Amino acid sequence: MLKGIPPILSPDLLKILRAMGHGDEIAIVDANYPAESAGPRLVRLDGQSATDVLDAILGLMPLDSYVEHAAFCMQVVGEPDRVEPIMEEFSSIISHHETGFDLGSIERFAFYDRVRSAYAIVQTGETRLYGNVLLKKGVISPDDK
Amino acid sequence: MLKGIPPILSPDLLKILRAMGHGDEIAIVDANYPAESAGPRLVRLDGQSATDVLDAILGLMPLDSYVEHAAFCMQVVGEPDRVEPIMEEFSSIISHHETGFDLGSIERFAFYDRVRSAYAIVQTGETRLYGNVLLKKGVISPDDK
Amino acid sequence: MLKGIPPILSPDLLKILRAMGHGDEIAIVDANYPAESAGPRLVRLDGQSATDVLDAILGLMPLDSYVEHAAFCMQVVGEPDRVEPIMEEFSSIISHHETGFDLGSIERFAFYDRVRSAYAIVQTGETRLYGNVLLKKGVISPDDK
Amino acid sequence: MLKGIPPILSPDLLKILRAMGHGDEIAIVDANYPAESAGPRLVRLDGQSATDVLDAILGLMPLDSYVEHAAFCMQVVGEPDRVEPIMEEFSSIISHHETGFDLGSIERFAFYDRVRSAYAIVQTGETRLYGNVLLKKGVISPDDK
Amino acid sequence: MLKGIPPILSPDLLKILRAMGHGDEIAIVDANYPAESAGPRLVRLDGQSATDVLDAILGLMPLDSYVEHAAFCMQVVGEPDRVEPIMEEFSSIISHHETGFDLGSIERFAFYDRVRSAYAIVQTGETRLYGNVLLKKGVISPDDK
Amino acid sequence: MLKGIPPILSPDLLKILRAMGHGDEIAIVDANYPAESAGPRLVRLDGQSATDVLDAILGLMPLDSYVEHAAFCMQVVGEPDRVEPIMEEFSSIISHHETGFDLGSIERFAFYDRVRSAYAIVQTGETRLYGNVLLKKGVISPDDK
Amino acid sequence: MLKGIPPILSPDLLKILRAMGHGDEIAIVDANYPAESAGPRLVRLDGQSATDVLDAILGLMPLDSYVEHAAFCMQVVGEPDRVEPIMEEFSSIISHHETGFDLGSIERFAFYDRVRSAYAIVQTGETRLYGNVLLKKGVISPDDK
Amino acid sequence: MLKGIPPILSPDLLKILRAMGHGDEIAIVDANYPAESAGPRLVRLDGQSATDVLDAILGLMPLDSYVEHAAFCMQVVGEPDRVEPIMEEFSSIISHHETGFDLGSIERFAFYDRVRSAYAIVQTGETRLYGNVLLKKGVISPDDK
Amino acid sequence: MLKGIPPILSPDLLKILRAMGHGDEIAIVDANYPAESAGPRLVRLDGQSATDVLDAILGLMPLDSYVEHAAFCMQVVGEPDRVEPIMEEFSSIISHHETGFDLGSIERFAFYDRVRSAYAIVQTGETRLYGNVLLKKGVISPDDK
Amino acid sequence: MLKGIPPILSPDLLKILRAMGHGDEIAIVDANYPAESAGPRLVRLDGQSATDVLDAILGLMPLDSYVEHAAFCMQVVGEPDRVEPIMEEFSSIISHHETGFDLGSIERFAFYDRVRSAYAIVQTGETRLYGNVLLKKGVISPDDK
């Protein structure tokens, strides 16, 4: 364990977050997501909720302000506009860490495709359906420090 | 996820439990344990308590009845007889799954040495000190099924 | 061996079943199937019948209810509608584990193609011809547990 | 599958039997044996009985006539002279394939030690306790063919 | 060495023959064939003739009866109908092991292309030119044993 | 780059610091140190001073309070009590991050030996001679957070 | 360290510069660049400025005189003609090492694409935005030595 | 060293020459050639001239008589018909080893493309520009020995 | 195939002979020898006689003149002085290639031990018992060429 | 090629020289030396003389001034005090690069033993016997630059 680093950020996940650059994407997915066959390198956090993982990651990683949306959830099949409670939690956590970022949404199979070219996936133990969120990393400019 | 398998048992951990044989040992250790340098193959379950992991493992894995103790905790440094609350929880979980097994204890550095030849280690996110327990796998005889 | 897990589920197969997610597919094939060159990761269960393996897998793995068919056999060459006895056994085993699932069928070379993108293959020792079945994994929702 | 080769001899096991030379040893062990941690390369034949595997192997592999015993079972703990029914089956299978070979026996922990330097282990699905047998490969002389 | 297995079938070649399934192909090629760059896994049998290797392989491996030709040689460049003596030997060996199989032939560069997707290649020490033959594996049905 | 993490902590170094447990040791060494042959996994930070690296690491990693010294420098050859200016800087940086820790010292070849069993080495671009320091990781107890 | 070689050229970077041939390209990128996912082999020089790295590399590596531009920076998004101070430093360092080479510029996403087929990337700790430069290696002719 | 084998043929190069078959190609390139990124397996002979290496290789390897040219140099950029002195040396060495083979030539970028699919590259220390030659291996027929 | 190199010297074997230095040893063993478990890197030449392989190797490799014996056979068990016909053939082949070298002999288990530290083993298809010979490589001095 | 770096220093050798630290050793050995089995990582420079390689290495690498001898040759067998001409060349090259260093000598088998723990070996094409020299790397102090 380290001072000031949330302990659910495992060694591999910390390395990945640090190694990602401007525009690289990371997906936080639920326990039913086909993550092992999705393509990108995989970090398992079995037993953690997706919302706790999102909160820990955004404590360290900036979002990309060069694009319209830097965070996306997966749309409910057949009801693209439906907002599940877990999606509202995702939005609220994002607002808590960064200002000016809305949560976008992507149709189920388009979400799978986009994740295929992400930098990494974190498979959580989230049991709520649609507990998936994709993040695009931003820049830290010399003024930020 | 699978029917009837606790979801905190990750793919690698399930494989390990199934692959272990009579007399092989597995250690469940806390978040401060030097697990990456301990030697055996390592499964990380960052964020889980050691007691939840023990409970899930004993739901599947029999303990060894051929030896005096098949489960050990690490003794408090300088107070070998002291029983921490988490040790009492370990005992209670063991009793819930199998009858006739007491929790033994091993001095800190002897514990490190014994773990070095274990089959596997599970590093949990347990933050309570002395949250370590070592298990020795038993046999399933034709009559057990 | 583990409590309550059929022993023909080997360590690798258990890991694979646990690691698969929603929509991932696994093929159980007979002893003549060209499984080593088929592409996906391979588990060998030489000497087991395909029906015993199907029964053991469905004891743990849910089928996908989001699609028309979540289980397929390979059609007899030249007689696509013929139902071999082993296909009837497959259907009966599926009905025993889950309700509302019919066994679909796929032409021989289309079956090969589909298996190419499966998550895994289990090569059994099944000597009956056409002893092949493909399964699509489903979801466990929070209400299921 | 191949003509005249028992199908329970998997590709890896066939290769191992062919690669072994004079004096190399192979262990056939039961489902509870700690085979993954035993040291030598491992072939799994989950679900097969140890007796069927012994019978198939001796159909191809000669035993070593240069030593007193070329086949050993593991002694019952505390009763070194007890002969379990499965040991009698082992003896009978050996006699069926080769003449002049008795089944020796080794104490449990000495058996573990000897297996550690074997060429290979075959883990069967044998559920009967003490379903373990160790074989030493012999020579095929020019006159044998 | 093993009882009843021709000793020129090396450990790797035995494994390959056993692992191949219905429709998988294996090429036996001469000493000048560009086998290392051909693509498939390679077994070297330097010093053996292609005809001895063909004879040993067909003693174990069935040919595919579902297709028009299950064995092909490479056509002489510029004389597609010419029959070299070694091709007649190939035909004769095939007839000796299986009935009803003619030896087909393929143009040189088409032969290279087909070998590229074979399961394996055996490079012999055959010094006669055009000492190449491609085989397609068949099925062993329950009635065959 | 990440929020609040000094950018000289590279991805591999962050992973290592997070993965180390109670009692694991890490060495920060100068540009002349034979680090590639020293044994432990190596992180290169060519061009950084040893003092900047020490400062960044102690911002995240607790020192071990269970032992007499948790930080050591290498003694000047032939003058074990001599204190080089860089050693004073090391002491000062340690005092800035943690209270109650003195900087111990180890003879040159004993230092090499101890580093051999460390968890990791960081080779800096430090050009001042004797720019080496060894750290022993401590515990974060539930009360610390 | 070596005589006359700038110490920020790490072992891997020295090897890469020596191994590159006529026309091979190397990118020096800033701390926010998505370098780990960019494709080519990566050398990290966390904490170094891009300008110091450029200066050290050009001390050893000739630029390609067969093409119009042998060095490129990344254009400011939306302002392709804007010259950032760091770009002027790049130009000045190039002029200092070689005569007759102008610094070209490439649009952001075209720059990413070109780097994808470079021989190597050096990720520096450069915190100034647009701290990226791509170099094309030239030839040393017999007359040069 | 071996009897009668020129010592500049290193172990890897000898293996490659022996492993190549009819029609496989090998490139001998100069010290400026971008050989590490060219694709095929690479043997380095730093410090040797291209002409000495050509001479040693042709002492062992036959050229392909089935094609118009079995040896090619790279054309001078902009002067495709110019013959550099080193090209004349290449021709002379070829004539010394085999009769009836002219040295063909290929435009620079076409040469790069052709080398990409060669079996191997030998990077020499040749400092003369255009010190590159590509060879196509021939056949040894039973009559040759 | 190469000009003047016996074709039974496979690519790997040629590389090994060229890579060996003064004092390195190579064993040529018969088809029953436990070569896969013997330790050193292994080249298989299934189907070749040990005498043909010895003859081909001594055509290229010098023996060591700095020691009493540079070639050894394995003694017959129980009859250390017995000379099998194949041993006489070994002696005769050695005399044909080099003058002044006698064939030494080593007891069976001492032979196994010595082979364990050899540079390489060649497993032939030699079916005659005691078809094993160990060679120690010599030096080529500047005067030899 | 690079500006000012002797081209016989290959990419791997440059990396090794840069990676070595204070006290690490490198051996330059002749063409008969058993270098592949000697233990340390190996760089081949077939065809180069040992004296040219020594000269190129000492142009970059400092020798160790903390020990009595930082360079050793191998003694002639049976004549430990004999000085071969190549040894005199070694001495002369060392004197040309550094002052105050004598060439020590080591008995043949002690030389082999010492090389076993060296950092690297360079096998040259040196054909003169006793063309071996071992170097111990020194320090570059801040004042040196």
Coordinates of all heavy atoms in Angstrom, one line a residue, chain H residues 37 69 74 80 89 96 106 109 112 115 120 139:
Chain H
S37 N 15.0 -3.1 -39.3 CA 13.6 -2.9 -39.5 C 13.1 -3.5 -40.8 O 12.0 -3.3 -41.2 CB 13.3 -1.4 -39.5 OG 14.0 -0.8 -40.6
H69 N 17.4 -14.4 -63.3 CA 18.5 -13.9 -62.4 C 18.4 -14.5 -61.0 O 17.3 -14.5 -60.5 CB 18.5 -12.4 -62.3 CG 18.9 -11.7 -63.6 ND1 18.0 -11.0 -64.4 CD2 20.1 -11.5 -64.1 CE1 18.6 -10.5 -65.4 NE2 19.9 -10.8 -65.3
M74 N 21.5 -3.4 -55.9 CA 20.6 -2.3 -55.9 C 21.1 -1.2 -56.8 O 22.3 -0.8 -56.8 CB 20.5 -1.7 -54.4 CG 19.6 -0.5 -54.3 SD 20.0 0.4 -52.8 CE 19.2 -0.6 -51.5
P80 N 20.1 4.3 -63.0 CA 19.9 2.8 -62.9 C 20.9 2.0 -63.7 O 21.1 0.8 -63.3 CB 18.5 2.6 -63.5 CG 18.2 3.9 -64.3 CD 19.0 5.0 -63.6
E89 N 32.8 -6.3 -58.5 CA 33.4 -7.3 -57.7 C 32.4 -8.4 -57.4 O 32.7 -9.6 -57.4 CB 33.9 -6.7 -56.3 CG 35.1 -5.9 -56.5 CD 35.7 -5.5 -55.1 OE1 35.8 -6.3 -54.2 OE2 36.0 -4.3 -54.9
H96 N 33.2 -16.7 -60.3 CA 34.2 -17.6 -59.8 C 33.5 -18.9 -59.2 O 34.1 -19.9 -59.3 CB 35.0 -16.9 -58.7 CG 36.0 -17.7 -58.0 ND1 35.8 -18.2 -56.8 CD2 37.2 -18.2 -58.4 CE1 36.8 -18.9 -56.4 NE2 37.6 -19.0 -57.4
I106 N 18.0 -4.0 -59.2 CA 16.7 -3.6 -58.8 C 16.7 -2.2 -58.3 O 17.6 -1.8 -57.6 CB 16.1 -4.6 -57.7 CG1 16.2 -6.0 -58.2 CG2 14.7 -4.2 -57.4 CD1 15.7 -7.0 -57.1
F109 N 13.8 1.3 -54.0 CA 12.7 0.9 -53.1 C 12.1 -0.5 -53.5 O 11.5 -1.1 -52.6 CB 11.6 2.0 -53.2 CG 12.1 3.3 -52.4 CD1 12.6 4.4 -53.1 CD2 12.1 3.3 -51.1 CE1 13.0 5.5 -52.4 CE2 12.5 4.4 -50.4 CZ 13.0 5.5 -51.1
Y112 N 14.2 -2.8 -51.4 CA 13.7 -2.9 -50.1 C 12.5 -3.8 -50.0 O 12.4 -4.6 -49.1 CB 13.2 -1.5 -49.6 CG 14.3 -0.5 -49.2 CD1 14.1 0.9 -49.1 CD2 15.6 -0.9 -49.0 CE1 15.0 1.8 -48.8 CE2 16.6 0.0 -48.7 CZ 16.3 1.4 -48.6 OH 17.3 2.3 -48.3
V115 N 13.5 -7.5 -50.4 CA 14.2 -8.0 -49.2 C 13.2 -8.3 -48.1 O 13.4 -9.2 -47.3 CB 15.2 -7.0 -48.7 CG1 15.8 -7.3 -47.3 CG2 16.4 -6.9 -49.7
A120 N 16.4 -14.3 -45.0 CA 17.3 -13.7 -44.0 C 18.1 -12.6 -44.6 O 18.1 -12.4 -45.8 CB 18.3 -14.8 -43.6
V139 N 19.0 -25.6 -56.2 CA 18.8 -27.0 -55.9 C 20.1 -27.8 -56.0 O 20.9 -27.5 -56.8 CB 17.7 -27.6 -56.8 CG1 17.7 -29.1 -56.9 CG2 16.3 -27.1 -56.4

